[in-house]
Amino acid sequence: MALTDADLVARVLLDDDHHAFAELVRNHQSSVRGLLRQLVRADVSLADDLAQETFLRAYKNLRSFRGEARFSTWLYRIAYNCFREEARKRKELVGIHEAQLEAQHDPQTTDPALRHDLVRALQLLPLHERTAVLLCCQNGLSHDEAARVLEIPLGTVKTNVLRGREKLKRSLAAWGPN
Amino acid sequence: MDENLQEDWLDARLRDEAAYIDDGGFTAHVVQKLPAHRVRHSLRAVILLGVTVVASVVAYLLSGGGWFIAEGVTRFALLPLPVIWLCAAGATVVVMVGGLAAAMSKTGGRLR
């Protein structure tokens, strides 16, 4: 039977078990790297550097994880803080590298032209709306969890998600269901 | 109805966009950068206790079998009674203040 995040965290805390921490990284690397790639506008190497920093900070501060929120929510919060620090350092984040993002993407059922438009529409959203939409609509966090990750009031998260979705819907109106 | 349909469609597209990213050595790279294994708490306690015992034994041997303790007790017993009472009261106050400070630091300054 697969161990839960709580079991793995306990093993790391009790025995400093690097294998258990590796399992945690394996379980969450995709979602954390995906979120960061969207936040840094698809600069894959920068996103992966930030993801690595996220997991290293998580390891160092694992004792502060009390299990009140999901482990993934706690990780998103660290990832978002890493991103904010990097953004402050760079003042403005790197530009849109759509070709790089699309080259990395697993070709799925989605029409490539639709993907292109969706990526572009997401990139055009203001950062606070993009982050709220990504956390809630793409990564499945509740509004309350997103508020904790972003350290902003619940009402602000709801407003940002609503506005972001409205803009996305308008941008993708031609693709929507009839 | 159309509005709900549009919302579901948008959510589905956003979830599609979050395709699984292959590990590609990422985990191994992170684990490689983890700090070296920490000394376990239980091991730390054993080390501290061991060092204390060794230091005590060395101090005992170097002081000629601890004769100074017996001498100190004898000298203290020969002091006038009011001085002994004063020393006892002082020690009580010191212990009480120490206990109070420890309790306050544990409760974040609130005593209830």
PDB file of all heavy atoms in Angstrom, chain A residues 16 18 22 29-30 33-34 38 52 105 108 110 114-115 138 165 169 175, chain B residues 3 6-7 9 11 13-14 16-17 19-23 29 33 37-38:
ATOM      1  N   ASP A  16      14.980  11.236   9.491  1.00  0.00           N
ATOM      2  CA  ASP A  16      15.709  11.994   8.459  1.00  0.00           C
ATOM      3  C   ASP A  16      15.866  11.125   7.204  1.00  0.00           C
ATOM      4  O   ASP A  16      16.952  11.043   6.623  1.00  0.00           O
ATOM      5  CB  ASP A  16      17.064  12.447   9.008  1.00  0.00           C
ATOM      6  CG  ASP A  16      17.710  13.508   8.120  1.00  0.00           C
ATOM      7  OD1 ASP A  16      16.973  14.180   7.380  1.00  0.00           O
ATOM      8  OD2 ASP A  16      18.943  13.642   8.157  1.00  0.00           O
ATOM      9  N   HIS A  18      15.873  10.198   3.713  1.00  0.00           N
ATOM     10  CA  HIS A  18      15.962  10.857   2.407  1.00  0.00           C
ATOM     11  C   HIS A  18      15.117  10.153   1.348  1.00  0.00           C
ATOM     12  O   HIS A  18      14.617  10.781   0.430  1.00  0.00           O
ATOM     13  CB  HIS A  18      17.421  10.933   1.952  1.00  0.00           C
ATOM     14  CG  HIS A  18      18.190  12.032   2.640  1.00  0.00           C
ATOM     15  ND1 HIS A  18      19.430  12.430   2.236  1.00  0.00           N
ATOM     16  CD2 HIS A  18      17.890  12.811   3.703  1.00  0.00           C
ATOM     17  CE1 HIS A  18      19.868  13.414   3.011  1.00  0.00           C
ATOM     18  NE2 HIS A  18      18.953  13.644   3.921  1.00  0.00           N
ATOM     19  N   ALA A  22      12.387  11.820  -0.980  1.00  0.00           N
ATOM     20  CA  ALA A  22      12.426  11.649  -2.443  1.00  0.00           C
ATOM     21  C   ALA A  22      11.040  11.252  -2.966  1.00  0.00           C
ATOM     22  O   ALA A  22      10.603  11.721  -4.022  1.00  0.00           O
ATOM     23  CB  ALA A  22      13.456  10.596  -2.815  1.00  0.00           C
ATOM     24  N   GLN A  29       6.363  16.821  -7.694  1.00  0.00           N
ATOM     25  CA  GLN A  29       7.209  17.624  -8.583  1.00  0.00           C
ATOM     26  C   GLN A  29       6.433  18.155  -9.793  1.00  0.00           C
ATOM     27  O   GLN A  29       6.624  19.291 -10.206  1.00  0.00           O
ATOM     28  CB  GLN A  29       8.469  16.852  -8.998  1.00  0.00           C
ATOM     29  CG  GLN A  29       8.268  15.526  -9.733  1.00  0.00           C
ATOM     30  CD  GLN A  29       8.122  15.677 -11.225  1.00  0.00           C
ATOM     31  OE1 GLN A  29       8.499  16.692 -11.785  1.00  0.00           O
ATOM     32  NE2 GLN A  29       7.521  14.680 -11.868  1.00  0.00           N
ATOM     33  N   SER A  30       5.561  17.328 -10.331  1.00  0.00           N
ATOM     34  CA  SER A  30       4.866  17.743 -11.550  1.00  0.00           C
ATOM     35  C   SER A  30       3.981  18.972 -11.304  1.00  0.00           C
ATOM     36  O   SER A  30       4.039  19.947 -12.059  1.00  0.00           O
ATOM     37  CB  SER A  30       4.029  16.586 -12.085  1.00  0.00           C
ATOM     38  OG  SER A  30       3.299  17.007 -13.202  1.00  0.00           O
ATOM     39  N   ARG A  33       6.222  22.089 -10.384  1.00  0.00           N
ATOM     40  CA  ARG A  33       6.949  22.613 -11.562  1.00  0.00           C
ATOM     41  C   ARG A  33       5.968  23.217 -12.562  1.00  0.00           C
ATOM     42  O   ARG A  33       6.258  24.237 -13.191  1.00  0.00           O
ATOM     43  CB  ARG A  33       7.750  21.487 -12.216  1.00  0.00           C
ATOM     44  CG  ARG A  33       8.940  21.054 -11.383  1.00  0.00           C
ATOM     45  CD  ARG A  33       9.459  19.713 -11.827  1.00  0.00           C
ATOM     46  NE  ARG A  33      10.305  19.801 -12.997  1.00  0.00           N
ATOM     47  CZ  ARG A  33      10.667  18.728 -13.720  1.00  0.00           C
ATOM     48  NH1 ARG A  33      10.260  17.523 -13.379  1.00  0.00           N
ATOM     49  NH2 ARG A  33      11.437  18.870 -14.773  1.00  0.00           N
ATOM     50  N   GLY A  34       4.814  22.574 -12.706  1.00  0.00           N
ATOM     51  CA  GLY A  34       3.802  23.092 -13.637  1.00  0.00           C
ATOM     52  C   GLY A  34       3.314  24.469 -13.229  1.00  0.00           C
ATOM     53  O   GLY A  34       3.222  25.390 -14.051  1.00  0.00           O
ATOM     54  N   GLN A  38       3.991  28.133 -15.216  1.00  0.00           N
ATOM     55  CA  GLN A  38       2.934  29.079 -15.605  1.00  0.00           C
ATOM     56  C   GLN A  38       3.202  30.457 -14.998  1.00  0.00           C
ATOM     57  O   GLN A  38       2.959  31.479 -15.629  1.00  0.00           O
ATOM     58  CB  GLN A  38       1.567  28.578 -15.131  1.00  0.00           C
ATOM     59  CG  GLN A  38       1.136  27.263 -15.741  1.00  0.00           C
ATOM     60  CD  GLN A  38       0.526  27.430 -17.127  1.00  0.00           C
ATOM     61  OE1 GLN A  38       0.635  28.494 -17.737  1.00  0.00           O
ATOM     62  NE2 GLN A  38      -0.096  26.388 -17.632  1.00  0.00           N
ATOM     63  N   GLN A  52      13.201  23.434  -7.427  1.00  0.00           N
ATOM     64  CA  GLN A  52      14.241  22.796  -6.616  1.00  0.00           C
ATOM     65  C   GLN A  52      14.400  23.540  -5.284  1.00  0.00           C
ATOM     66  O   GLN A  52      14.457  22.925  -4.218  1.00  0.00           O
ATOM     67  CB  GLN A  52      15.552  22.822  -7.390  1.00  0.00           C
ATOM     68  CG  GLN A  52      16.635  22.001  -6.733  1.00  0.00           C
ATOM     69  CD  GLN A  52      17.907  22.022  -7.566  1.00  0.00           C
ATOM     70  OE1 GLN A  52      17.908  21.576  -8.699  1.00  0.00           O
ATOM     71  NE2 GLN A  52      18.958  22.555  -7.013  1.00  0.00           N
ATOM     72  N   HIS A 105       5.472  20.382 -23.767  1.00  0.00           N
ATOM     73  CA  HIS A 105       4.165  19.853 -23.426  1.00  0.00           C
ATOM     74  C   HIS A 105       3.902  18.510 -24.088  1.00  0.00           C
ATOM     75  O   HIS A 105       4.212  18.299 -25.240  1.00  0.00           O
ATOM     76  CB  HIS A 105       3.097  20.865 -23.862  1.00  0.00           C
ATOM     77  CG  HIS A 105       1.828  20.695 -23.103  1.00  0.00           C
ATOM     78  ND1 HIS A 105       0.888  19.787 -23.474  1.00  0.00           N
ATOM     79  CD2 HIS A 105       1.378  21.309 -21.989  1.00  0.00           C
ATOM     80  CE1 HIS A 105      -0.115  19.857 -22.611  1.00  0.00           C
ATOM     81  NE2 HIS A 105       0.155  20.776 -21.705  1.00  0.00           N
ATOM     82  N   GLN A 108      -1.465  16.113 -26.258  1.00  0.00           N
ATOM     83  CA  GLN A 108      -2.650  15.397 -25.776  1.00  0.00           C
ATOM     84  C   GLN A 108      -3.798  15.585 -26.750  1.00  0.00           C
ATOM     85  O   GLN A 108      -3.590  15.901 -27.915  1.00  0.00           O
ATOM     86  CB  GLN A 108      -3.029  15.912 -24.402  1.00  0.00           C
ATOM     87  CG  GLN A 108      -2.017  15.507 -23.368  1.00  0.00           C
ATOM     88  CD  GLN A 108      -2.592  15.707 -21.991  1.00  0.00           C
ATOM     89  OE1 GLN A 108      -3.367  14.902 -21.495  1.00  0.00           O
ATOM     90  NE2 GLN A 108      -2.238  16.808 -21.388  1.00  0.00           N
ATOM     91  N   THR A 110      -5.917  17.918 -26.720  1.00  0.00           N
ATOM     92  CA  THR A 110      -6.252  19.308 -26.989  1.00  0.00           C
ATOM     93  C   THR A 110      -5.669  19.762 -28.327  1.00  0.00           C
ATOM     94  O   THR A 110      -4.531  19.461 -28.647  1.00  0.00           O
ATOM     95  CB  THR A 110      -5.686  20.194 -25.865  1.00  0.00           C
ATOM     96  OG1 THR A 110      -6.037  19.604 -24.629  1.00  0.00           O
ATOM     97  CG2 THR A 110      -6.224  21.592 -25.956  1.00  0.00           C
ATOM     98  N   LEU A 114      -5.748  25.594 -29.970  1.00  0.00           N
ATOM     99  CA  LEU A 114      -6.474  25.960 -28.749  1.00  0.00           C
ATOM    100  C   LEU A 114      -5.482  26.115 -27.595  1.00  0.00           C
ATOM    101  O   LEU A 114      -5.578  27.049 -26.796  1.00  0.00           O
ATOM    102  CB  LEU A 114      -7.520  24.884 -28.425  1.00  0.00           C
ATOM    103  CG  LEU A 114      -8.163  24.934 -27.034  1.00  0.00           C
ATOM    104  CD1 LEU A 114      -8.824  26.275 -26.770  1.00  0.00           C
ATOM    105  CD2 LEU A 114      -9.181  23.813 -26.869  1.00  0.00           C
ATOM    106  N   ARG A 115      -4.519  25.175 -27.508  1.00  0.00           N
ATOM    107  CA  ARG A 115      -3.492  25.250 -26.459  1.00  0.00           C
ATOM    108  C   ARG A 115      -2.740  26.576 -26.564  1.00  0.00           C
ATOM    109  O   ARG A 115      -2.496  27.241 -25.568  1.00  0.00           O
ATOM    110  CB  ARG A 115      -2.480  24.106 -26.624  1.00  0.00           C
ATOM    111  CG  ARG A 115      -2.954  22.795 -26.039  1.00  0.00           C
ATOM    112  CD  ARG A 115      -1.784  21.973 -25.526  1.00  0.00           C
ATOM    113  NE  ARG A 115      -1.065  22.725 -24.532  1.00  0.00           N
ATOM    114  CZ  ARG A 115       0.130  23.263 -24.711  1.00  0.00           C
ATOM    115  NH1 ARG A 115       0.740  23.156 -25.859  1.00  0.00           N
ATOM    116  NH2 ARG A 115       0.706  23.922 -23.738  1.00  0.00           N
ATOM    117  N   GLN A 138      -6.878  25.045 -12.016  1.00  0.00           N
ATOM    118  CA  GLN A 138      -5.991  24.053 -12.623  1.00  0.00           C
ATOM    119  C   GLN A 138      -5.472  23.045 -11.592  1.00  0.00           C
ATOM    120  O   GLN A 138      -5.408  21.868 -11.865  1.00  0.00           O
ATOM    121  CB  GLN A 138      -4.801  24.749 -13.282  1.00  0.00           C
ATOM    122  CG  GLN A 138      -4.038  23.843 -14.216  1.00  0.00           C
ATOM    123  CD  GLN A 138      -2.999  24.612 -14.997  1.00  0.00           C
ATOM    124  OE1 GLN A 138      -2.039  25.104 -14.430  1.00  0.00           O
ATOM    125  NE2 GLN A 138      -3.197  24.714 -16.297  1.00  0.00           N
ATOM    126  N   ARG A 165     -11.322  34.234 -14.795  1.00  0.00           N
ATOM    127  CA  ARG A 165     -12.125  33.312 -15.615  1.00  0.00           C
ATOM    128  C   ARG A 165     -12.905  34.076 -16.673  1.00  0.00           C
ATOM    129  O   ARG A 165     -13.027  33.623 -17.805  1.00  0.00           O
ATOM    130  CB  ARG A 165     -13.078  32.522 -14.729  1.00  0.00           C
ATOM    131  CG  ARG A 165     -12.409  31.518 -13.827  1.00  0.00           C
ATOM    132  CD  ARG A 165     -13.444  30.842 -12.959  1.00  0.00           C
ATOM    133  NE  ARG A 165     -14.345  30.096 -13.808  1.00  0.00           N
ATOM    134  CZ  ARG A 165     -14.286  28.775 -13.973  1.00  0.00           C
ATOM    135  NH1 ARG A 165     -13.401  28.088 -13.305  1.00  0.00           N
ATOM    136  NH2 ARG A 165     -15.099  28.157 -14.785  1.00  0.00           N
ATOM    137  N   LYS A 169     -12.587  33.425 -20.559  1.00  0.00           N
ATOM    138  CA  LYS A 169     -13.763  33.052 -21.372  1.00  0.00           C
ATOM    139  C   LYS A 169     -13.907  33.986 -22.562  1.00  0.00           C
ATOM    140  O   LYS A 169     -14.216  33.556 -23.672  1.00  0.00           O
ATOM    141  CB  LYS A 169     -15.035  33.092 -20.513  1.00  0.00           C
ATOM    142  CG  LYS A 169     -15.294  31.779 -19.801  1.00  0.00           C
ATOM    143  CD  LYS A 169     -16.669  31.726 -19.209  1.00  0.00           C
ATOM    144  CE  LYS A 169     -16.711  32.401 -17.868  1.00  0.00           C
ATOM    145  NZ  LYS A 169     -18.009  32.373 -17.235  1.00  0.00           N
ATOM    146  N   TRP A 175     -13.542  29.402 -29.152  1.00  0.00           N
ATOM    147  CA  TRP A 175     -13.308  27.967 -28.974  1.00  0.00           C
ATOM    148  C   TRP A 175     -14.386  27.296 -28.129  1.00  0.00           C
ATOM    149  O   TRP A 175     -14.462  26.074 -28.097  1.00  0.00           O
ATOM    150  CB  TRP A 175     -11.974  27.732 -28.279  1.00  0.00           C
ATOM    151  CG  TRP A 175     -10.781  28.064 -29.095  1.00  0.00           C
ATOM    152  CD1 TRP A 175     -10.031  29.192 -29.022  1.00  0.00           C
ATOM    153  CD2 TRP A 175     -10.185  27.266 -30.112  1.00  0.00           C
ATOM    154  NE1 TRP A 175      -9.013  29.156 -29.921  1.00  0.00           N
ATOM    155  CE2 TRP A 175      -9.082  27.971 -30.611  1.00  0.00           C
ATOM    156  CE3 TRP A 175     -10.484  26.016 -30.668  1.00  0.00           C
ATOM    157  CZ2 TRP A 175      -8.269  27.484 -31.617  1.00  0.00           C
ATOM    158  CZ3 TRP A 175      -9.670  25.524 -31.660  1.00  0.00           C
ATOM    159  CH2 TRP A 175      -8.578  26.250 -32.136  1.00  0.00           C
TER     160      TRP A 175
ATOM    161  N   GLU B   3     -23.895  29.110 -19.597  1.00  0.00           N
ATOM    162  CA  GLU B   3     -22.832  29.656 -18.746  1.00  0.00           C
ATOM    163  C   GLU B   3     -22.101  28.516 -18.033  1.00  0.00           C
ATOM    164  O   GLU B   3     -20.880  28.454 -18.006  1.00  0.00           O
ATOM    165  CB  GLU B   3     -23.469  30.608 -17.716  1.00  0.00           C
ATOM    166  CG  GLU B   3     -22.477  31.364 -16.867  1.00  0.00           C
ATOM    167  CD  GLU B   3     -21.740  32.474 -17.621  1.00  0.00           C
ATOM    168  OE1 GLU B   3     -22.124  32.780 -18.779  1.00  0.00           O
ATOM    169  OE2 GLU B   3     -20.795  32.997 -17.046  1.00  0.00           O
ATOM    170  N   GLN B   6     -19.969  26.506 -20.393  1.00  0.00           N
ATOM    171  CA  GLN B   6     -18.750  27.243 -20.718  1.00  0.00           C
ATOM    172  C   GLN B   6     -17.727  27.107 -19.583  1.00  0.00           C
ATOM    173  O   GLN B   6     -16.550  26.912 -19.818  1.00  0.00           O
ATOM    174  CB  GLN B   6     -19.102  28.720 -20.925  1.00  0.00           C
ATOM    175  CG  GLN B   6     -17.915  29.590 -21.246  1.00  0.00           C
ATOM    176  CD  GLN B   6     -17.884  30.029 -22.692  1.00  0.00           C
ATOM    177  OE1 GLN B   6     -18.898  29.932 -23.369  1.00  0.00           O
ATOM    178  NE2 GLN B   6     -16.760  30.488 -23.168  1.00  0.00           N
ATOM    179  N   GLU B   7     -18.236  27.194 -18.326  1.00  0.00           N
ATOM    180  CA  GLU B   7     -17.350  27.084 -17.164  1.00  0.00           C
ATOM    181  C   GLU B   7     -16.705  25.699 -17.130  1.00  0.00           C
ATOM    182  O   GLU B   7     -15.505  25.567 -16.901  1.00  0.00           O
ATOM    183  CB  GLU B   7     -18.141  27.322 -15.881  1.00  0.00           C
ATOM    184  CG  GLU B   7     -18.817  28.669 -15.830  1.00  0.00           C
ATOM    185  CD  GLU B   7     -18.389  29.488 -14.642  1.00  0.00           C
ATOM    186  OE1 GLU B   7     -18.075  28.894 -13.632  1.00  0.00           O
ATOM    187  OE2 GLU B   7     -18.360  30.724 -14.770  1.00  0.00           O
ATOM    188  N   TRP B   9     -16.247  23.658 -19.546  1.00  0.00           N
ATOM    189  CA  TRP B   9     -15.336  23.548 -20.685  1.00  0.00           C
ATOM    190  C   TRP B   9     -14.001  24.213 -20.356  1.00  0.00           C
ATOM    191  O   TRP B   9     -12.934  23.650 -20.589  1.00  0.00           O
ATOM    192  CB  TRP B   9     -15.996  24.211 -21.904  1.00  0.00           C
ATOM    193  CG  TRP B   9     -15.103  24.219 -23.107  1.00  0.00           C
ATOM    194  CD1 TRP B   9     -14.941  23.226 -24.022  1.00  0.00           C
ATOM    195  CD2 TRP B   9     -14.233  25.286 -23.523  1.00  0.00           C
ATOM    196  NE1 TRP B   9     -14.023  23.583 -24.969  1.00  0.00           N
ATOM    197  CE2 TRP B   9     -13.569  24.851 -24.689  1.00  0.00           C
ATOM    198  CE3 TRP B   9     -13.958  26.548 -23.024  1.00  0.00           C
ATOM    199  CZ2 TRP B   9     -12.652  25.649 -25.365  1.00  0.00           C
ATOM    200  CZ3 TRP B   9     -13.043  27.339 -23.685  1.00  0.00           C
ATOM    201  CH2 TRP B   9     -12.393  26.892 -24.840  1.00  0.00           C
ATOM    202  N   ASP B  11     -12.720  24.855 -17.352  1.00  0.00           N
ATOM    203  CA  ASP B  11     -12.017  24.082 -16.315  1.00  0.00           C
ATOM    204  C   ASP B  11     -11.322  22.870 -16.934  1.00  0.00           C
ATOM    205  O   ASP B  11     -10.180  22.560 -16.587  1.00  0.00           O
ATOM    206  CB  ASP B  11     -12.997  23.612 -15.231  1.00  0.00           C
ATOM    207  CG  ASP B  11     -13.331  24.742 -14.274  1.00  0.00           C
ATOM    208  OD1 ASP B  11     -12.597  25.743 -14.267  1.00  0.00           O
ATOM    209  OD2 ASP B  11     -14.330  24.628 -13.546  1.00  0.00           O
ATOM    210  N   ARG B  13     -10.273  22.506 -20.003  1.00  0.00           N
ATOM    211  CA  ARG B  13      -9.113  22.936 -20.807  1.00  0.00           C
ATOM    212  C   ARG B  13      -7.946  23.294 -19.895  1.00  0.00           C
ATOM    213  O   ARG B  13      -6.801  22.983 -20.183  1.00  0.00           O
ATOM    214  CB  ARG B  13      -9.470  24.134 -21.690  1.00  0.00           C
ATOM    215  CG  ARG B  13     -10.545  23.898 -22.745  1.00  0.00           C
ATOM    216  CD  ARG B  13     -10.077  23.017 -23.884  1.00  0.00           C
ATOM    217  NE  ARG B  13     -10.023  21.599 -23.553  1.00  0.00           N
ATOM    218  CZ  ARG B  13     -11.087  20.790 -23.457  1.00  0.00           C
ATOM    219  NH1 ARG B  13     -12.307  21.262 -23.636  1.00  0.00           N
ATOM    220  NH2 ARG B  13     -10.958  19.529 -23.146  1.00  0.00           N
ATOM    221  N   LEU B  14      -8.252  23.962 -18.786  1.00  0.00           N
ATOM    222  CA  LEU B  14      -7.180  24.347 -17.857  1.00  0.00           C
ATOM    223  C   LEU B  14      -6.531  23.105 -17.250  1.00  0.00           C
ATOM    224  O   LEU B  14      -5.313  23.048 -17.082  1.00  0.00           O
ATOM    225  CB  LEU B  14      -7.735  25.251 -16.747  1.00  0.00           C
ATOM    226  CG  LEU B  14      -7.957  26.703 -17.146  1.00  0.00           C
ATOM    227  CD1 LEU B  14      -8.829  27.411 -16.114  1.00  0.00           C
ATOM    228  CD2 LEU B  14      -6.628  27.438 -17.270  1.00  0.00           C
ATOM    229  N   ASP B  16      -6.408  20.168 -18.648  1.00  0.00           N
ATOM    230  CA  ASP B  16      -5.619  19.551 -19.729  1.00  0.00           C
ATOM    231  C   ASP B  16      -4.246  20.191 -19.815  1.00  0.00           C
ATOM    232  O   ASP B  16      -3.239  19.545 -20.078  1.00  0.00           O
ATOM    233  CB  ASP B  16      -6.311  19.758 -21.087  1.00  0.00           C
ATOM    234  CG  ASP B  16      -7.437  18.759 -21.288  1.00  0.00           C
ATOM    235  OD1 ASP B  16      -7.546  17.835 -20.460  1.00  0.00           O
ATOM    236  OD2 ASP B  16      -8.206  18.918 -22.259  1.00  0.00           O
ATOM    237  N   GLU B  17      -4.236  21.493 -19.601  1.00  0.00           N
ATOM    238  CA  GLU B  17      -3.005  22.259 -19.729  1.00  0.00           C
ATOM    239  C   GLU B  17      -1.982  21.840 -18.665  1.00  0.00           C
ATOM    240  O   GLU B  17      -0.781  21.954 -18.861  1.00  0.00           O
ATOM    241  CB  GLU B  17      -3.348  23.753 -19.603  1.00  0.00           C
ATOM    242  CG  GLU B  17      -2.226  24.713 -19.834  1.00  0.00           C
ATOM    243  CD  GLU B  17      -1.502  24.497 -21.154  1.00  0.00           C
ATOM    244  OE1 GLU B  17      -2.144  24.077 -22.125  1.00  0.00           O
ATOM    245  OE2 GLU B  17      -0.279  24.724 -21.172  1.00  0.00           O
ATOM    246  N   ALA B  19      -0.679  19.138 -17.787  1.00  0.00           N
ATOM    247  CA  ALA B  19      -0.296  17.751 -18.062  1.00  0.00           C
ATOM    248  C   ALA B  19       0.840  17.334 -17.136  1.00  0.00           C
ATOM    249  O   ALA B  19       1.580  18.182 -16.635  1.00  0.00           O
ATOM    250  CB  ALA B  19       0.162  17.639 -19.506  1.00  0.00           C
ATOM    251  N   TYR B  20       0.958  16.025 -16.903  1.00  0.00           N
ATOM    252  CA  TYR B  20       2.000  15.522 -16.015  1.00  0.00           C
ATOM    253  C   TYR B  20       3.384  15.846 -16.586  1.00  0.00           C
ATOM    254  O   TYR B  20       3.639  15.624 -17.769  1.00  0.00           O
ATOM    255  CB  TYR B  20       1.839  14.013 -15.834  1.00  0.00           C
ATOM    256  CG  TYR B  20       2.850  13.440 -14.879  1.00  0.00           C
ATOM    257  CD1 TYR B  20       2.675  13.567 -13.503  1.00  0.00           C
ATOM    258  CD2 TYR B  20       3.999  12.817 -15.349  1.00  0.00           C
ATOM    259  CE1 TYR B  20       3.616  13.078 -12.622  1.00  0.00           C
ATOM    260  CE2 TYR B  20       4.939  12.326 -14.468  1.00  0.00           C
ATOM    261  CZ  TYR B  20       4.739  12.462 -13.106  1.00  0.00           C
ATOM    262  OH  TYR B  20       5.681  11.978 -12.241  1.00  0.00           O
ATOM    263  N   ILE B  21       4.243  16.387 -15.753  1.00  0.00           N
ATOM    264  CA  ILE B  21       5.614  16.684 -16.183  1.00  0.00           C
ATOM    265  C   ILE B  21       6.494  15.520 -15.738  1.00  0.00           C
ATOM    266  O   ILE B  21       6.543  15.199 -14.541  1.00  0.00           O
ATOM    267  CB  ILE B  21       6.116  18.010 -15.572  1.00  0.00           C
ATOM    268  CG1 ILE B  21       5.239  19.166 -16.063  1.00  0.00           C
ATOM    269  CG2 ILE B  21       7.581  18.251 -15.933  1.00  0.00           C
ATOM    270  CD1 ILE B  21       5.526  20.491 -15.373  1.00  0.00           C
ATOM    271  N   ASP B  22       7.158  14.916 -16.682  1.00  0.00           N
ATOM    272  CA  ASP B  22       8.007  13.768 -16.383  1.00  0.00           C
ATOM    273  C   ASP B  22       9.139  14.181 -15.435  1.00  0.00           C
ATOM    274  O   ASP B  22       9.700  15.270 -15.582  1.00  0.00           O
ATOM    275  CB  ASP B  22       8.577  13.225 -17.696  1.00  0.00           C
ATOM    276  CG  ASP B  22       9.313  11.923 -17.460  1.00  0.00           C
ATOM    277  OD1 ASP B  22       8.729  11.040 -16.822  1.00  0.00           O
ATOM    278  OD2 ASP B  22      10.476  11.824 -17.880  1.00  0.00           O
ATOM    279  N   ASP B  23       9.443  13.310 -14.488  1.00  0.00           N
ATOM    280  CA  ASP B  23      10.455  13.642 -13.472  1.00  0.00           C
ATOM    281  C   ASP B  23      11.817  13.987 -14.113  1.00  0.00           C
ATOM    282  O   ASP B  23      12.420  14.999 -13.771  1.00  0.00           O
ATOM    283  CB  ASP B  23      10.613  12.456 -12.505  1.00  0.00           C
ATOM    284  CG  ASP B  23      11.501  12.799 -11.334  1.00  0.00           C
ATOM    285  OD1 ASP B  23      10.982  13.306 -10.339  1.00  0.00           O
ATOM    286  OD2 ASP B  23      12.723  12.591 -11.438  1.00  0.00           O
ATOM    287  N   HIS B  29      18.096  15.056  -8.471  1.00  0.00           N
ATOM    288  CA  HIS B  29      18.849  16.300  -8.338  1.00  0.00           C
ATOM    289  C   HIS B  29      18.547  16.981  -7.001  1.00  0.00           C
ATOM    290  O   HIS B  29      19.455  17.489  -6.334  1.00  0.00           O
ATOM    291  CB  HIS B  29      18.471  17.221  -9.505  1.00  0.00           C
ATOM    292  CG  HIS B  29      19.504  18.253  -9.789  1.00  0.00           C
ATOM    293  ND1 HIS B  29      20.787  17.946 -10.167  1.00  0.00           N
ATOM    294  CD2 HIS B  29      19.443  19.609  -9.736  1.00  0.00           C
ATOM    295  CE1 HIS B  29      21.470  19.057 -10.330  1.00  0.00           C
ATOM    296  NE2 HIS B  29      20.678  20.081 -10.074  1.00  0.00           N
ATOM    297  N   LYS B  33      20.994  17.463  -3.404  1.00  0.00           N
ATOM    298  CA  LYS B  33      21.283  18.764  -2.780  1.00  0.00           C
ATOM    299  C   LYS B  33      20.835  18.854  -1.322  1.00  0.00           C
ATOM    300  O   LYS B  33      21.028  19.885  -0.681  1.00  0.00           O
ATOM    301  CB  LYS B  33      20.599  19.877  -3.584  1.00  0.00           C
ATOM    302  CG  LYS B  33      21.175  20.045  -4.967  1.00  0.00           C
ATOM    303  CD  LYS B  33      21.374  21.507  -5.284  1.00  0.00           C
ATOM    304  CE  LYS B  33      22.263  21.649  -6.494  1.00  0.00           C
ATOM    305  NZ  LYS B  33      22.543  23.030  -6.805  1.00  0.00           N
ATOM    306  N   HIS B  37      22.793  13.986   6.514  1.00  0.00           N
ATOM    307  CA  HIS B  37      21.907  13.495   7.581  1.00  0.00           C
ATOM    308  C   HIS B  37      22.182  14.215   8.897  1.00  0.00           C
ATOM    309  O   HIS B  37      23.326  14.370   9.305  1.00  0.00           O
ATOM    310  CB  HIS B  37      22.093  11.995   7.783  1.00  0.00           C
ATOM    311  CG  HIS B  37      21.444  11.196   6.705  1.00  0.00           C
ATOM    312  ND1 HIS B  37      20.099  10.935   6.694  1.00  0.00           N
ATOM    313  CD2 HIS B  37      21.943  10.642   5.584  1.00  0.00           C
ATOM    314  CE1 HIS B  37      19.801  10.222   5.623  1.00  0.00           C
ATOM    315  NE2 HIS B  37      20.904  10.039   4.918  1.00  0.00           N
ATOM    316  N   ARG B  38      21.077  14.616   9.525  1.00  0.00           N
ATOM    317  CA  ARG B  38      21.201  15.295  10.818  1.00  0.00           C
ATOM    318  C   ARG B  38      21.460  14.256  11.904  1.00  0.00           C
ATOM    319  O   ARG B  38      21.033  13.111  11.781  1.00  0.00           O
ATOM    320  CB  ARG B  38      19.894  16.028  11.154  1.00  0.00           C
ATOM    321  CG  ARG B  38      19.599  17.163  10.233  1.00  0.00           C
ATOM    322  CD  ARG B  38      18.277  17.803  10.642  1.00  0.00           C
ATOM    323  NE  ARG B  38      17.148  16.945  10.359  1.00  0.00           N
ATOM    324  CZ  ARG B  38      16.163  17.271   9.523  1.00  0.00           C
ATOM    325  NH1 ARG B  38      16.178  18.397   8.887  1.00  0.00           N
ATOM    326  NH2 ARG B  38      15.150  16.453   9.333  1.00  0.00           N
TER     327      ARG B  38
END
